[in-house]
Amino acid sequence: MDNRWSVYGKTFESRFLIGSSLYPSPQVMRDAVQASGAEIITVSLRRQSPERGGGDTIWDFIKQMDCTLLPNTAGCHSVKEALTLAQMSREIFQTHWIKLEVIGDEYNLQPDPIGTLEAARQLIKQGFEVFPYCTDDLVLCQRLRDAGCQVLMPWGAPIGTGRGLINPYALQTIRERLPDVSLIVDAGLGKPSHAVQAMELGFDAVLLNTAVAQAADPVLMATAFAEAISAGRKSFLAGAMPQRQTAKPSTPTLGTPFWHQEGVDAS
Amino acid sequence: MNIGIAGAGLIGRLLAWQCLRAGHSVSLFDRDTIDGEGSAARVAAAMLAPYSEAAHCPREIFDWGVASMALWPRLIRQLHQDTGINVQLEQNGSVVVAHIRDTGELDNLMQLLGTKLPEHQAQITLLDQPALASLEPSLAGRFEQGIFLSGEGCLDNWALLDALADAIDSLGGEWHAAVSVDNVQPGQLDVEGQPISFDCVIDSRGLGAKPNQPGLRGVRGEVLWVHAPEVSLTRPVRLMHPRYQLYIAPKPQQRYVIGATEIESESMQPITVRSSLELQSALYSIDTDFAEASILKAYANCRPAYVDNLPRIDVEEGLISVNGLYRHGYLLSPLLLQLALDSLDGQVEHPVVRQQSSMQEGIAR
């Protein structure tokens, strides 16, 4: 089964994108990333005084992990901040890729749809390949695609909440209406079962950080998510049976006396 | 023995003092002045918090931390004998709270501690409002619940650092302040371009040892020291929040430390406006009486950490290196002090201690 997927001209085996923050130690981060099998890892420059080389040691460590780096603009609250940080990231990490986050609400870190769209347009003009973190609004997703984003990253739930897919209907609609865009559920997943659900909706990949980094055993949880994402993808490809209201036996009941057929178990 | 120590932070001072007590002759070299204003030890809040740290740290930090904390009272008594200074050591527990919107964080912490420390649940108590009020009355108006961690505490690190300087002086230690140590090698320190020989050299320079310690990194932390006569917290308080955990540690003379940010950066620039706002709003949200507090100091410094965030003592003939105490300096230093002193006398078996032979094996692997 060819399970590869592509984004901005690069092809990947793993459908798990993983974040590099909040782990108990860099060592645990490296072990968890290895266990996850992820080929793309997000990195954040925010607050590290990159202009003074403040984060060099940790970035060198991350670079050694031999993953494709996806720098993000986490913590930016305005278009201007996001653009500045994207340019700095391009210089430091030598990549046109940028995970765009423009935060609209300080408390639940909800993305600002208007700012995100504007920043995406400007970044694309400047030659960036943009991975926008956005809400699950269909029209916003369409506008981001029209602006030139080849991948969209709607949230499952607010960052770090671990609530799973709070609006599966909206995510499913985006998948159905934008069949040609790569879709990644970004943020809000807490358990591997949430990842299965996202992949079963036909999403191309899943991006998460906190659910692994803050688990009691991050390395084991990374493995669990990797298996869940793989299971969810296979389930999507296999085509799940439709749900039914009544039980339908998988063993033929011909020959069973009719008074035994009432309420028979699906077995 | 004639011992040369590079670095007069917390570990350097403790080692110098105890080596003098053991009858060695000690020379201490540091780029900083004796008040230690540039040292991570000065900036720290000096929390002794193995339980709350256990939530997101390797299990070793808890086990070593609990063993290490038990060594503080004897050290504080000895320091009193040597200097007459009584350094305040509080071991009355700490309180964890979260604002009403974030009470899920308290549940998370309880759950994590239940998973990670199943055999220590007696030291972990969920507090309802009356219980919180009886421990820390000023918190009860604002918080409906909390967690009491009875095995935690904090100490007065400014007084400790000053007392250690006094003790080193009175026991005849030679303190060379504001000098640069260019290189450290077995039996020799290069100070301001001059090689000086010793029977044994101890490297406790923290992040300053980076040229000799590949893999060591700095993790930036920022804290505020405030004077708040209207506030009456008696225990350290940890404020849980979805994105950061801050603690307020009470110090003598109505001073409080709020900290610390945790940023994967080696920048030594002064505290940022963003961090300062976060720390101040956390203070104000714990107790509005902090509004009238005076800000005594705003510090930024870098904690030295290895890639696994665990401390390490490297021992070879003529050289002992103690480093990587990260955010656990005051918690772990008594244990590391003991292990380093034992290493002076002979081979020590402890996961923290790496003998040179095993270090070479490690490189070969």
Side-chain angles (χ1 to χ4, degrees), chain A residues 9 13 20 40 73 78 96 108 114 118 125 136 177 179 184 194 215 255 265-266:
Chain A
E13 301 270 342
S20 56
I40 301 172
T73 63
S78 70
H96 295 295
N108 68 0
I114 295 145
E118 191 190 328
K125 247 186 242 165
D136 52 20
R177 297 289 300 280
I184 300 172
H194 300 147
D265 281 333

Side-chain angles (χ1 to χ4, degrees), chain A residues 79-135:
Chain A
V79 174
K80 181 169 161 265
E81 273 180 273
L83 296 181
T84 308
L85 198 56
Q87 285 151 2
M88 220 180 262
S89 299
R90 175 152 69 180
E91 212 167 287
I92 287 171
F93 296 112
Q94 297 290 303
T95 173
H96 295 295
W97 280 19
I98 190 77
K99 181 189 161 192
L100 175 62
E101 285 186 46
V102 181
I103 298 306
D105 184 86
E106 171 63 31
Y107 203 79
N108 68 0
L109 301 180
Q110 178 160 345
D112 173 351
I114 295 145
T116 302
L117 182 58
E118 191 190 328
R121 283 181 179 140
Q122 295 203 33
L123 287 169
I124 288 165
K125 247 186 242 165
Q126 294 174 19
F128 283 94
E129 294 173 325
V130 179
F131 294 63
Y133 168 55
C134 53
T135 47

Side-chain angles (χ1 to χ4, degrees), chain A residues 27-246:
Chain A
Q27 180 74 55
V28 174
M29 170 182 64
R30 181 162 63 191
D31 295 346
V33 170
Q34 265 164 11
S36 75
E39 295 162 286
I40 301 172
I41 175 166
T42 61
V43 287
S44 171
L45 285 185
R46 193 76 193 156
R47 303 185 81 166
Q48 295 178 324
S49 305
E51 66 282 9
R52 303 184 190 102
D56 287 355
T57 310
I58 192 76
W59 297 326
D60 286 345
F61 183 77
I62 291 173
K63 284 176 189 164
Q64 283 165 16
M65 292 194 293
D66 211 18
C67 286
T68 300
L69 297 185
L70 175 56
N72 69 29
T73 63
C76 289
H77 291 257
S78 70
V79 174
K80 181 169 161 265
E81 273 180 273
L83 296 181
T84 308
L85 198 56
Q87 285 151 2
M88 220 180 262
S89 299
R90 175 152 69 180
E91 212 167 287
I92 287 171
F93 296 112
Q94 297 290 303
T95 173
H96 295 295
W97 280 19
I98 190 77
K99 181 189 161 192
L100 175 62
E101 285 186 46
V102 181
I103 298 306
D105 184 86
E106 171 63 31
Y107 203 79
N108 68 0
L109 301 180
Q110 178 160 345
D112 173 351
I114 295 145
T116 302
L117 182 58
E118 191 190 328
R121 283 181 179 140
Q122 295 203 33
L123 287 169
I124 288 165
K125 247 186 242 165
Q126 294 174 19
F128 283 94
E129 294 173 325
V130 179
F131 294 63
Y133 168 55
C134 53
T135 47
D136 52 20
D137 184 276
L138 171 66
V139 178
L140 171 64
C141 287
Q142 289 170 329
R143 293 284 165 85
L144 285 165
R145 176 205 53 189
D146 296 345
C149 295
Q150 295 177 23
V151 56
L152 301 173
M153 307 212 291
W155 69 0
I159 295 176
T161 57
R163 301 176 76 92
L165 310 185
I166 49 175
N167 193 346
Y169 167 78
L171 293 173
Q172 188 166 13
T173 306
I174 294 167
R175 177 71 288 175
E176 284 167 5
R177 297 289 300 280
L178 302 173
D180 300 326
V181 177
S182 292
L183 290 180
I184 300 172
V185 168
D186 177 8
L189 304 190
K191 292 187 285 198
S193 52
H194 300 147
V196 175
Q197 207 190 347
M199 296 307 293
E200 283 181 338
L201 289 176
F203 272 66
D204 295 282
V206 159
L207 194 164
L208 57 89
N209 189 157
T210 314
V212 167
Q214 305 264 289
D217 183 341
V219 180
L220 188 59
M221 191 55 95
T223 312
F225 267 104
E227 289 170 2
I229 289 163
S230 168
R233 177 65 186 171
K234 284 175 187 148
S235 165
F236 172 72
L237 291 175
M241 61 165 279
Q243 286 186 17
R244 288 194 186 85
Q245 226 19 58
T246 53

Side-chain angles (χ1 to χ4, degrees), chain B residues 294-307:
Chain B
S294 323
I295 298 175
L296 302 174
K297 292 274 184 185
Y299 286 115
N301 209 312
C302 286
R303 316 161 174 99
Y306 290 108
V307 71

Side-chain angles (χ1 to χ4, degrees), chain B residues 220 222 267-273 298-300:
Chain B
R220 178 177 161 95
E222 297 148 302
S267 166
M268 289 285 198
Q269 297 298 313
I271 189 169
T272 61
V273 170
Y299 286 115

Side-chain angles (χ1 to χ4, degrees), chain B residues 94-116:
Chain B
S94 74
V95 173
V96 186
V97 291
H99 289 293
I100 194 116
R101 285 198 290 193
D102 306 326
T103 45
E105 300 299 319
L106 284 184
D107 302 336
N108 285 350
L109 181 62
M110 282 301 277
Q111 196 186 328
L112 266 173
L113 294 181
T115 310
K116 292 197 158 185

